[in-house]
Amino acid sequence: MNMLIFIMAGLLVHCVFLASIFDIYFTSPLVHGMTPQRTPLPPPAKRLVLFVADGLRADTLYEIDDNGTPRAPYLRNIIEYKGSWGVSHTHVPTESRPGHVALIAGFYEDVSAVAKGWKENPVEFDSVFNESKYTWSWGSPDILPMFAKGASGDHVYTYCYTAEKEDFGAQDATKLDTWVFDHVKNFFQAAGSNQTLFSKVNEEKVVLFLHLLGIDTNGHAHRPNSREYKDNIRKVDDGINDIVSLLEDFYGNDGKTAFILTSDHGMTDWGSHGAGHPSETLTPLIAWGAGVNYPQKVTSQFFEDEFLKEWKLENWKRLDVNQADIAPLMASLIGVPFPLNSVGILPLDYLNNSAHFKAESMFTNAVQILEQFKIKMTQKKETTLSFLFVPFQLLSDTEQINILRKARSYIHQEKYHEAVSLCKTLISLALEGLSYYHTYDRLFLGISVVMGFVGWTSYVILLIVKTHTSLTRSTQDNKASTVLLLYGFAATGVLIAFFLLIQTCPWTYYIYCLLPVPVWYAVVKEFRVIQDLVSLLLVFPLGQSIGFLGAGALGIEILVFSFFYRSTLTVGLIAFAGWPLITRLWAQAKVTTLSWTLLCLLLAMFPLMPVVGREPNISLVTVAGLVILLISSFSLASLCKSRNKYVPKKDLTILLFQMLNIALSTYVVNSTHNSLHHKQGLPVINQIISWTTLASSLFVPLLSPTFFFQRLLSILLSLMSPYLLLSTGYEALFPLVLSGLMFAWIYMEKEALQYYGDSLKTKLAVLNFSCSTDITQFRQLHLDDIRRSFFFVFFIMTAFFGTGNIASVNSFDPASVYCFLTVFNPFIMGSLLVWKIVIPFVLVSCAFEAVQVTTQLSSKSLFLLVLVISDIMALHFFFLVKDYGSWLDIGTSISHYVLVMVFTIFIMLLSGLAQLLTTKRIELWGRTKRHSM
């Protein structure tokens, strides 16, 4: 098969495998067509004020200052004398968008919204704002518009500051919150003199939403333990006090206003969020005013987190909720229908109302969730053949009717406690049933994807055996049997398509179910190769076969374990350090072996270090810049002093330009962080230099000579400049050590080939990437080439996890992009982070390109071996994906599969990028004569 066609087919297949996980696990849980449900009794409040302090941690708000005073005196007074409090438990991903959706709409975000930066939901949904008579909101342009856009009618009003104000480098991020408080005050001042507005704000079912972003911005910029973060909490406390006083005066102390303060997510000690650490998932919840319970004194209470004593709140009853439970609480307080897609359970302990009201509210909550269950069941029943449909046994139609009748009967008999208990049972069953129908096709789709996976991996193995080894005998295929085989698989495909058609399955199901058909056709078509391979394995010594398979399985498991434990990479690198001693290569090349061993041990230290971003240290970035300048100076000196070699001035100019870029990058990092430390913002000149350096990083290497080490050094220098700009600590040294090991690896592979007598003693210095090797010089694959491919995959894993488990969203430190921008922009910031991750990949891939040339192997043969290893890893992670346990466990298992699939696709693309960077040269000043050494 033509290599280009194979790569295109491979990309398509792997894109399908990657997309399948989103259809299996990440489909939207939302259904439409339900009837709005509201409590029939009059609500206790006419209006609700929702304060969301973005990025506020529960412990930071509730804890006592070092001087023994509350950090937020007004809110502390509410907890002790006026309202109810607790901890709201958020779900992964702990981002602003999903947090607000859970708070206001009552369901946990459709994960496909990540494709829109959590700013816009791909699926329409209902919310408390939509059900209100009027909602006025003030705050961030990233949050407010999404609820106004989804609202039916023109009753949700938004007042936003400009996106440019969300600046991590700003002098005072508390201005974001001051802006909100000031605009709310101006709004009510205007309402006093505007009769139309006055009548609107005096209506029932009104919501006022204040989104306060200052705490989150200060947390990112200065960390949650900083003075700025804690001072911002005090200012928010003062602002809330002012707003409450303003509203009580405006409404004449009518006692019809309910207040809720909470947060969308918390924040880690190193100023990030997105994952499931308790500092990110534990957020405060304080409610007071109309319809809310007063403080409840208790003698003792137990919570696993043991924060109560630290907060000195052990005698005030703590009422914990799930974040989605706040939406039905708000709906119940002001008497609007529960959001149609809400899965929240009304927290009755927060309500200060009659037992009748609580029972009716819980009954409404149960009917609202049951409506979703019924719609979901109907949808699944309509798309499944009747004899194949298996209903959710615990909640049959008869059972639903019985529970509802019994609950209504209890309410009529004033057995409110029993009615509430029954409604909670119904809610639990309905939520379980919703999950059942949401995952109904999971096993069916999973089997289809696994069939495709196994078929594809088998085909690649057969392709390697057939075209890159001498293990098979070339025989002519029987045309009649091939045609018969083709018709058989075509008929199978038609049957599968017909089966899916009569069930009206989504179009993506056709892809997952039909993909294995051509893949397995390609496998079975190579039955001659399979026969030869089986015959060979039967005569191969059993002990060697078991040993080889055991070593392969151990290698794959080490790669898999590196996703969970970074220290596994350290163990692997220590084992690599001993490789020359085991194979006795050290006797042939002592200096090379010593360099390899030392660099392996040095690189092995990085996975043992703390995750990047938690302990910023700009001085280490400076050290990395100086070290790379020193290395490039030695290289420049050796180039100039090398005998019998003419070095063109333009090549020296390019090297000097790259050294200047390194020096500038080192200066810009120090200058930027110094400026931000003094709250002077990001200097424009630094921003210009940073973006220019980034733009030129892939272009400048193409101007350098294509001799092995000159080109590899040029690639390292060009990529180190943006890497320095994106570094905040020890990770700046990582590409230097990794590149040193890659140079040693190239030498070691050359020595290994000579050791086995497969290569002439050609000097590496004279090898040229651009001189394509004659195809007759390519050799067949050996068992040692599997080891080379494994080394490459291991080094790719090390490049990814060496400085932190970046599989976790909260490993991202915004400070790493401050040389480029400080105004919040998730896509640009995310793209810069991805490029920082990619740079070590590119260095490893270019070294692998050099290994392929030095070992006289076609790039296709080693690439196929790498593909097999990564596909076996991907299949391993596919079986590890789960939808039970904690949200962190679920999210981690899915993200690992996505990562390894992206690796596989990325390696295909990276191979092309590495070839481009190593073999191509742009001549800006005309062609230069080459002189041999």
Side-chain angles (χ1 to χ4, degrees):
M1 184 189 287
N2 181 279
M3 188 59 177
L4 181 61
I5 297 173
F6 177 81
I7 289 176
M8 294 301 292
L11 279 172
L12 178 64
V13 167
H14 286 86
C15 284
V16 169
F17 291 157
L18 176 59
S20 69
I21 206 72
F22 292 94
D23 253 340
I24 296 172
Y25 292 94
F26 283 0
T27 50
S28 173
L30 304 189
V31 290
H32 300 283
M34 292 81 68
T35 308
Q37 304 291 326
R38 79 173 78 207
T39 307
L41 300 178
K46 290 177 65 176
R47 66 199 71 88
L48 171 85
V49 185
L50 174 64
F51 301 98
V52 176
D54 204 304
L56 176 59
R57 289 165 48 152
D59 58 341
T60 314
L61 176 69
Y62 292 141
E63 69 187 6
I64 302 296
D65 268 343
D66 296 335
N67 57 12
T69 60
R71 182 154 295 137
Y74 176 74
L75 292 172
R76 184 75 173 204
N77 183 66
I78 294 292
I79 291 171
E80 294 179 358
Y81 300 105
K82 294 184 179 178
S84 296
W85 75 285
V87 171
S88 169
H89 296 261
T90 69
H91 279 192
V92 176
T94 45
E95 298 288 346
S96 290
R97 159 72 206 220
H100 281 89
V101 168
L103 285 171
I104 299 163
F107 71 92
Y108 298 105
E109 180 70 290
D110 174 17
V111 187
S112 55
V114 73
K116 297 192 176 183
W118 300 118
K119 286 188 178 183
E120 209 176 311
N121 202 50
V123 182
E124 288 186 8
F125 61 90
D126 191 22
S127 71
V128 173
F129 294 176
N130 186 45
E131 297 291 354
S132 68
K133 179 81 173 182
Y134 294 108
T135 293
W136 286 274
S137 54
W138 297 265
S140 167
D142 295 329
I143 299 298
L144 306 190
M146 68 185 178
F147 292 103
K149 183 179 178 181
S152 56
D154 184 21
H155 67 280
V156 178
Y157 305 101
T158 60
Y159 302 91
C160 307
Y161 39 74
T162 59
E164 287 71 28
K165 288 185 180 290
E166 298 177 15
D167 189 346
F168 295 137
Q171 288 185 355
D172 186 10
T174 59
K175 288 181 178 177
L176 296 173
D177 299 338
T178 306
W179 185 98
V180 171
F181 292 133
D182 288 345
H183 277 71
V184 174
K185 291 172 185 175
N186 294 337
F187 173 81
F188 278 95
Q189 190 176 354
S193 56
N194 184 324
Q195 189 56 44
T196 305
L197 184 57
F198 183 83
S199 61
K200 283 185 177 180
V201 296
N202 277 283
E203 292 273 7
E204 294 184 350
K205 301 177 177 55
V206 164
V207 177
L208 305 172
F209 172 41
L210 284 71
H211 177 242
L212 308 167
L213 188 62
I215 292 173
D216 183 72
T217 307
N218 270 318
H220 285 308
H222 305 289
R223 309 291 188 266
N225 292 318
S226 66
R227 178 179 55 81
E228 289 85 355
Y229 186 86
K230 293 173 181 177
D231 285 349
N232 203 150
I233 292 175
R234 290 189 184 92
K235 290 193 178 181
V236 165
D237 184 64
D238 292 338
I240 292 173
N241 189 2
D242 292 345
I243 296 299
V244 172
S245 299
L246 170 75
L247 293 175
E248 285 177 347
D249 291 343
F250 184 88
Y251 290 109
N253 293 299
D254 64 354
K256 290 293 184 180
T257 309
F259 300 92
I260 290 178
L261 167 89
T262 187
S263 176
D264 52 350
H265 56 75
M267 189 172 286
T268 60
D269 289 339
W270 52 97
S272 62
H273 54 83
H277 191 272
S279 61
E280 300 166 89
T281 59
L282 302 183
T283 59
L285 173 61
I286 303 172
W288 69 101
V292 179
N293 247 339
Y294 287 101
Q296 302 171 58
K297 283 294 198 76
V298 291
T299 53
S300 65
Q301 51 185 331
F302 172 76
F303 287 88
E304 288 184 2
D305 53 40
E306 298 180 353
F307 277 131
L308 284 170
K309 197 169 183 181
E310 183 184 325
W311 296 341
K312 298 192 183 330
L313 288 170
E314 57 265 47
N315 294 326
W316 281 269
K317 189 174 182 181
R318 171 177 156 182
L319 305 170
D320 282 16
V321 301
N322 287 320
Q323 194 173 45
D325 299 342
I326 297 173
L329 174 63
M330 293 191 291
S332 178
L333 286 171
I334 57 173
V336 298
F338 288 28
L340 294 174
N341 302 113
S342 171
V343 293
I345 303 172
L346 179 63
L348 293 178
D349 288 340
Y350 274 86
L351 294 179
N352 179 20
N353 217 312
S354 64
H356 184 200
F357 181 86
K358 290 181 180 181
E360 286 286 3
S361 297
M362 189 55 76
F363 185 83
T364 303
N365 195 181
V367 172
Q368 170 258 325
I369 293 176
L370 184 63
E371 283 272 316
Q372 296 179 69
F373 167 80
K374 289 159 76 174
I375 295 284
K376 195 82 172 176
M377 182 182 70
T378 303
Q379 287 178 352
K380 189 50 60 185
K381 200 170 185 178
E382 288 173 352
T383 58
T384 308
L385 294 174
S386 56
F387 66 91
L388 292 176
F389 180 70
V390 181
F392 181 63
Q393 302 292 344
L394 297 177
L395 199 56
S396 62
D397 291 346
T398 307
E399 185 70 13
Q400 294 172 38
I401 294 166
N402 288 341
I403 292 176
L404 288 174
R405 280 179 179 169
K406 200 171 183 181
R408 177 50 67 192
S409 174
Y410 280 145
I411 293 173
H412 284 315
Q413 296 169 32
E414 298 185 2
K415 295 180 179 179
Y416 301 124
H417 179 75
E418 290 84 349
V420 166
S421 178
L422 198 59
C423 288
K424 285 182 178 178
T425 302
L426 179 57
I427 288 172
S428 177
L429 288 172
L431 290 174
E432 192 180 338
L434 269 172
S435 176
Y436 172 80
Y437 286 119
H438 184 58
T439 59
Y440 191 84
D441 293 329
R442 189 166 292 179
L443 179 64
F444 163 64
L445 291 174
I447 291 171
S448 299
V449 172
V450 168
M451 288 287 291
F453 244 126
V454 175
W456 169 260
T457 308
S458 303
Y459 175 70
V460 175
I461 292 171
L462 291 175
L463 193 62
I464 293 169
V465 171
K466 182 180 179 180
T467 58
H468 297 284
T469 69
S470 53
L471 300 177
T472 58
R473 302 182 299 272
S474 56
T475 54
Q476 193 70 30
D477 288 339
N478 188 322
K479 287 187 178 180
S481 62
T482 304
V483 170
L484 188 63
L485 204 62
L486 178 63
Y487 284 139
F489 274 92
T492 304
V494 170
L495 284 173
I496 292 171
F498 178 72
F499 177 75
L500 296 173
L501 183 66
I502 58 177
Q503 294 200 99
T504 60
C505 291
W507 64 271
T508 50
Y509 283 34
Y510 288 83
I511 297 174
Y512 306 138
C513 297
L514 290 174
L515 180 65
V517 175
V519 170
W520 277 102
Y521 168 70
V523 172
V524 177
K525 191 181 173 187
E526 303 293 343
F527 61 89
R528 300 283 185 195
V529 179
I530 297 171
Q531 283 180 334
D532 292 343
L533 193 58
V534 170
S535 302
L536 183 71
L537 290 173
L538 289 174
V539 298
F540 204 72
L542 183 63
Q544 288 187 25
S545 297
I546 294 172
F548 179 71
L549 289 172
L554 179 64
I556 295 291
E557 286 305 309
I558 287 173
L559 293 173
V560 169
F561 262 79
S562 68
F563 279 74
F564 300 95
Y565 311 102
R566 290 171 58 217
S567 55
T568 309
L569 297 171
T570 299
V571 175
L573 286 165
I574 291 171
F576 283 9
W579 163 59
L581 303 175
I582 298 168
T583 56
R584 304 190 67 79
L585 271 173
W586 62 273
Q588 178 180 314
K590 290 185 174 62
V591 176
T592 306
T593 299
L594 183 62
S595 302
W596 165 267
T597 303
L598 288 175
L599 286 164
C600 277
L601 294 175
L602 193 58
L603 193 65
M605 294 168 61
F606 283 90
L608 299 176
M609 294 182 183
V611 171
V612 166
R614 300 188 183 185
E615 297 175 13
N617 191 337
I618 300 301
S619 59
L620 288 177
V621 182
T622 307
V623 169
L626 294 175
V627 170
I628 192 68
L629 278 173
L630 193 64
I631 292 170
S632 51
S633 299
F634 277 122
S635 302
L636 181 64
S638 65
L639 270 176
C640 294
K641 289 179 182 178
S642 60
R643 291 176 294 174
N644 303 323
K645 182 177 179 182
Y646 167 73
V647 181
K649 284 185 179 180
K650 65 177 182 178
D651 294 347
L652 293 176
T653 304
I654 291 163
L655 186 55
L656 287 169
F657 172 77
Q658 290 177 311
M659 290 172 66
L660 176 65
N661 248 356
I662 294 286
L664 267 176
S665 298
T666 308
Y667 165 77
V668 165
V669 169
N670 282 275
S671 170
T672 299
H673 285 270
N674 186 53
S675 177
L676 293 175
H677 179 71
H678 292 96
K679 299 185 179 179
Q680 295 172 349
L682 171 61
V684 176
I685 185 66
N686 290 9
Q687 197 171 17
I688 293 169
I689 292 171
S690 299
W691 283 107
T692 306
T693 301
L694 179 67
S696 64
S697 59
L698 286 178
F699 171 73
V700 174
L702 301 179
L703 301 174
S704 64
T706 52
F707 290 108
F708 254 41
F709 291 114
Q710 281 182 264
R711 176 52 69 92
L712 289 175
L713 177 65
S714 179
I715 292 168
L716 172 62
L717 292 178
S718 280
L719 294 180
M720 270 304 294
S721 294
Y723 198 88
L724 287 172
L725 293 169
L726 291 164
S727 297
T728 60
Y730 75 85
E731 81 271 21
L733 296 164
F734 179 72
L736 287 177
V737 180
L738 182 65
S739 298
L741 184 58
M742 292 302 98
F743 279 107
W745 183 33
I746 296 166
Y747 271 110
M748 286 299 295
E749 291 298 355
K750 186 68 176 173
E751 295 294 342
L753 212 62
Q754 289 174 3
Y755 181 77
Y756 294 112
D758 289 331
S759 173
L760 298 172
K761 291 194 175 183
T762 312
K763 284 188 178 181
L764 286 176
V766 301
L767 288 175
N768 195 314
F769 279 115
S770 63
C771 298
S772 56
T773 311
D774 184 0
I775 197 164
T776 57
Q777 295 179 346
F778 289 150
R779 60 179 178 80
Q780 298 282 42
L781 285 171
H782 299 157
L783 280 178
D784 201 40
D785 294 318
I786 298 176
R787 192 243 337 134
R788 289 187 179 92
S789 301
F790 176 78
F791 272 25
F792 171 65
V793 177
F794 187 90
F795 288 138
I796 284 286
M797 292 294 119
T798 305
F800 189 74
F801 291 115
T803 57
N805 187 347
I806 309 173
S808 177
V809 183
N810 71 6
S811 296
F812 171 50
D813 180 13
S816 61
V817 300
Y818 285 172
C819 291
F820 294 88
L821 77 165
T822 54
V823 175
F824 180 67
N825 188 313
F827 276 119
I828 295 178
M829 288 179 165
S831 300
L832 289 169
L833 173 66
V834 167
W835 182 235
K836 182 182 178 182
I837 297 167
V838 167
I839 285 172
F841 284 3
V842 176
L843 296 174
V844 173
S845 296
C846 290
F848 190 54
E849 192 71 23
V851 166
Q852 291 175 41
V853 175
T854 56
T855 55
Q856 299 172 332
L857 272 172
S858 72
S859 58
K860 181 182 177 182
S861 56
L862 278 180
F863 170 73
L864 290 174
L865 284 172
V866 168
L867 198 59
V868 170
I869 294 170
S870 57
D871 278 344
I872 293 172
M873 282 176 62
L875 189 59
H876 196 302
F877 279 114
F878 186 84
F879 287 116
L880 289 177
V881 170
K882 56 185 179 181
D883 62 343
Y884 56 88
S886 72
W887 276 89
L888 178 60
D889 292 340
I890 296 167
T892 301
S893 69
I894 294 173
S895 68
H896 283 166
Y897 173 74
V898 172
L899 278 172
V900 78
M901 284 307 303
V902 170
F903 274 156
T904 310
I905 296 169
F906 188 61
I907 285 169
M908 295 181 185
L909 301 174
L910 210 56
S911 175
L913 178 61
Q915 281 191 3
L916 174 71
L917 283 175
T918 53
T919 60
K920 303 300 178 186
R921 186 176 188 187
I922 298 172
E923 299 281 356
L924 292 183
W925 300 279
R927 188 169 294 278
T928 306
K929 293 180 181 178
R930 283 201 176 92
H931 297 263
S932 60
M933 293 183 68

